Amino acid sequence: MKKSIFIEEFSRRMKNDDNAYQMVGAELRRLRMKQSQTLSSISNNICSVSYLCKIETAKMKPNRAMLTEICKKLDLSVPKIDLLFNLKKLLMDCVEKFYKKNIIFLNRAYEECKGFENYRSKLIQLIFYIATYRFEEASFVVHDLFKITSVMSSEELIVFMVFHSILSYHEEKYQEVLDNLTSTRPYNETGETIKKIIYLICLQCYFKLNSPRTLILSEQVLNDLLNTTEYDVADYVRYLTCVFMLNNSMWDDIRSKMKNLQKKVYIKTLEFYLDIKEESLKAKSHYYTELRPFARLVFIYIFDRGNYKKYYESLDKHRFYDFDFSPSIAQYLTLNEEIECYNEISDVIMSHLAITGNKIEIIFFLKELCQICSNLGKYKNFNQAFKRFIKEKNI
């Protein structure tokens, strides 16, 4: 071996973990069998059959020169085999880029890992699918990963747990997410980025459940973000806190909190919510600009109802997964017939409102139901009952 090869070999062995050699061996075996080649056909003029067998089963760590020769026979490029050795670093880089919303990097990592069949490449796929809102594909990857959790390191298992929890959040399994992320805390083995993602997803779950822990955790997260000068994310947390306060009629607190907001889209959206709550909507609809997706849908329904369905169909549905958006509202508003609207509310949405703490949703749906009932004589009793409900709840 030449000196440069020795240097490369020592460098690799110092930074690689044993799992990297297992993945290399498994990939060599997978490709060999896919090509219907035997151990002897690949090892011929390179090494013994038993030596190659030990490489494939990770009982032997091959040197660079021998590994290169084996890869040539399998038409596996050297960059691809190098990628296998660096998958763990790439995985943790993907976690960092997910937090920073760097989709370009995640897409590149996803493309580089195509063709591999190991849990690290699958974890990278999972991160990419979630970042691009491809939840159905993400679910298939999760199903595969659950079969092989025993081979993951603790750090990698935490990554899997976190991104599985993010997928569960989008499936509205908020309590399940909190149970997974708060029952055990083996986070000391992970970096700061994973901790930030965990706290943010927990915060959003508490918000969805209208739990008072929203305020407690938001202060903790906000302080950490300000200490690390992550002002954009801090503004997002302030906005989430304001919406929680609005849903719980904490008027003095919300107006005080709004003074610290920097992004115009957050400020305008909160002003729109407050005007709905206080029944003081401005006559000129162009006053409400730069609204977040949830508020924009309600805005179109209020000010341009005739074009709502057309607008709804043109929207990028991926944006519906913002934490303050309720898919049930969009589902309801796309219905045309009043009787269909009534059935939708009575059969589906009322059960949702029974557990939600979102006062904007409650106000919107109950008032809409009253309007529908007033036009349908046989539902007059329902109309009166819900009007009493609104009065009793001081909504």
Side-chain angles (χ1 to χ4, degrees), residues 83-114:
L83 180 60
L84 281 172
F85 278 114
N86 292 305
L87 267 184
K88 185 171 184 179
K89 181 180 183 305
L90 182 61
L91 170 62
M92 302 315 296
D93 286 345
C94 284
V95 172
E96 184 77 26
K97 301 304 180 182
F98 175 88
Y99 178 71
K100 295 181 178 179
K101 303 184 186 301
N102 189 336
I103 303 299
I104 294 175
F105 180 93
L106 295 177
N107 182 68
R108 185 167 64 247
Y110 168 75
E111 291 295 333
E112 288 177 352
C113 291
K114 272 186 176 179

Side-chain angles (χ1 to χ4, degrees), residues 329-375:
I329 288 184
Q331 182 182 14
Y332 161 70
L333 294 179
T334 54
L335 299 172
N336 293 320
E337 301 298 326
E338 287 181 336
I339 188 64
E340 289 183 16
C341 290
Y342 174 80
N343 289 336
E344 181 72 16
I345 293 180
S346 61
D347 296 341
V348 179
I349 296 175
M350 287 311 300
S351 60
H352 169 73
L353 293 183
I355 61 172
T356 186
N358 191 325
K359 297 294 179 64
I360 294 294
E361 289 187 30
I362 293 175
I363 295 167
F364 179 82
F365 281 121
L366 292 184
K367 288 190 174 181
E368 281 295 306
L369 183 58
C370 287
Q371 181 60 42
I372 292 169
C373 290
S374 66
N375 297 328

Side-chain angles (χ1 to χ4, degrees), residues 209-222:
L209 295 171
N210 199 42
S211 167
R213 287 195 60 83
T214 304
L215 297 178
I216 299 170
L217 186 56
S218 66
E219 286 302 313
Q220 177 185 341
V221 173
L222 189 60

